[in-house]
Amino acid sequence: NKEMLSELNKLFHCENGNDLPIQEFKKILQYIYNFNNQEINLTGEIISTLKSLFIEKAEETNDLIKDLPRINGLYNWRYPAMTKVEGALLYIMTRLLKPEIIVEAGTWMGTSTSYLAKGCCDNQRGKVITVDKQEDVGYAIPDDLLPYINFHKKTDIKEVLFEICNKENKIDMFFHDSNNSYELLRWEINEILPFFNKNGLIIVHDIFNLDDDDPDKNVAHFFNAIKDKVKCYLFNTEKGIGVIKDPYWPELKSDEK
């Protein structure tokens, strides 16, 4: 598209030769989003799993799926962080659960953060507390969603998770999308247990991202270890999304590799 290329060339041009300012980079990303108006295609298997997860809200689930094209042009990324379908699933689960407090481990550019925050925005309630070790994160989040997000940048999740839980007193949704580590995910879950809403959801990205060099130390192994012990839902997306609901916590805590 010549118009898009011309606009991108203007935005990329820096007279002083310095790196592109972050606000200009955000303009580029948002400009690209507006050209990404393809439909989100949820397979029958994914829709079936989604309805199983929210049995009591099947009709509302149908309405949300039909309504997805409304957000599709603004909140879909052309980057490997998260596919359109995976983002749609986060948005739908946020809309259906209507959480007050969402904790996200791993911000990066802010793709998943935006889908979660968009769900809070459309629910007119809730906020996303997102934690990342890096400072330059969240740069792709649309400005209109920033009021629904609290950032903890340059921060290790292990340093602040208890503090966040203690301050908020209740966690309704936890989304893990940082280190693809069995031990870290297990530690995070055990840390939030005393504060976790019994009707809440724990959502894990990259459960199909196997580490062949050390397969016993990734989140894929974690889900394999607990899938027969707690109530889990596995969405067969490109990278895989796992959801834990109503878990029998003693079994989860005593799991051994």
Side-chain angles (χ1 to χ4, degrees):
N1 185 299
K2 289 183 179 180
E3 181 186 355
M4 181 171 72
L5 289 175
S6 173
E7 186 70 17
L8 292 180
N9 283 334
K10 280 191 233 175
L11 290 172
F12 271 118
H13 180 65
C14 296
E15 295 276 343
N16 56 12
N18 293 334
D19 291 338
L20 193 69
I22 191 65
Q23 288 303 317
E24 293 300 296
F25 184 57
K26 183 179 286 191
K27 288 180 185 177
I28 292 171
L29 293 175
Q30 291 179 330
Y31 193 88
I32 291 173
Y33 302 155
N34 291 330
F35 282 85
N36 188 14
N37 292 315
Q38 300 173 17
E39 291 290 327
I40 294 176
N41 296 314
L42 300 179
T43 67
E45 179 185 358
I46 288 175
I47 291 175
S48 176
T49 305
L50 190 58
K51 289 181 178 178
S52 296
L53 180 56
F54 295 98
I55 296 172
E56 72 283 2
K57 298 183 178 182
E59 188 172 334
E60 191 177 348
T61 303
N62 280 335
D63 292 341
L64 283 171
I65 291 170
K66 291 176 184 175
D67 197 36
L68 280 176
R70 182 176 61 82
I71 67 161
N72 192 35
L74 290 177
Y75 302 106
N76 275 285
W77 280 253
R78 290 179 173 178
Y79 299 91
M82 177 159 285
T83 67
K84 292 185 293 182
V85 169
E86 290 168 339
L89 286 173
L90 288 186
Y91 173 76
I92 290 172
M93 286 189 276
T94 304
R95 290 297 310 278
L96 292 172
L97 187 64
K98 295 178 173 56
E100 292 288 348
I101 302 296
I102 302 172
V103 176
E104 176 186 51
T107 313
W108 193 27
M109 60 187 296
T111 310
S112 54
T113 318
S114 294
Y115 280 107
L116 295 167
K118 178 60 177 170
C120 292
C121 175
D122 289 352
N123 285 338
Q124 297 186 335
R125 63 188 290 183
K127 65 180 177 181
V128 182
I129 301 170
T130 184
V131 183
D132 201 287
K133 286 184 176 182
Q134 305 302 316
E135 181 176 14
D136 186 16
V137 297
Y139 46 82
I141 298 172
D143 291 339
D144 61 317
L145 297 181
L146 292 176
Y148 298 91
I149 303 168
N150 290 351
F151 292 96
H152 288 264
K153 300 179 181 181
K154 294 179 66 176
T155 307
D156 192 315
I157 188 71
K158 287 192 172 184
E159 297 173 2
V160 295
L161 186 53
F162 179 78
E163 177 187 330
I164 291 170
C165 292
N166 198 43
K167 178 182 177 182
E168 302 299 340
N169 199 36
K170 185 179 73 171
I171 307 300
D172 302 301
M173 182 183 287
F174 181 79
F175 180 59
H176 173 93
D177 194 18
S178 57
N179 188 319
N180 185 28
S181 160
Y182 178 109
E183 289 301 333
L184 178 60
L185 177 58
R186 182 186 172 109
W187 178 89
E188 290 170 344
I189 291 177
N190 286 327
E191 193 77 358
I192 66 175
L193 290 186
F195 307 91
F196 200 69
N197 183 341
K198 66 178 182 179
N199 297 315
L201 296 178
I202 294 172
I203 307 170
V204 183
H205 193 217
D206 291 327
I207 62 168
F208 296 158
N209 190 12
L210 294 170
D211 182 351
D212 294 331
D213 294 330
D214 205 347
D216 289 343
K217 291 188 177 180
N218 54 50
V219 293
H221 174 76
F222 180 87
F223 264 83
N224 285 333
I226 69 167
K227 65 183 179 183
D228 296 324
K229 299 179 181 180
V230 299
K231 197 170 184 180
C232 295
Y233 295 83
L234 306 180
F235 288 95
N236 188 22
T237 61
E238 183 177 323
K239 296 188 176 183
I241 287 182
V243 179
I244 304 172
K245 183 182 181 184
D246 303 327
Y248 180 57
W249 295 120
E251 283 286 357
L252 184 59
K253 292 181 76 173
S254 63
D255 166 58
E256 295 181 359
K257 291 187 281 183

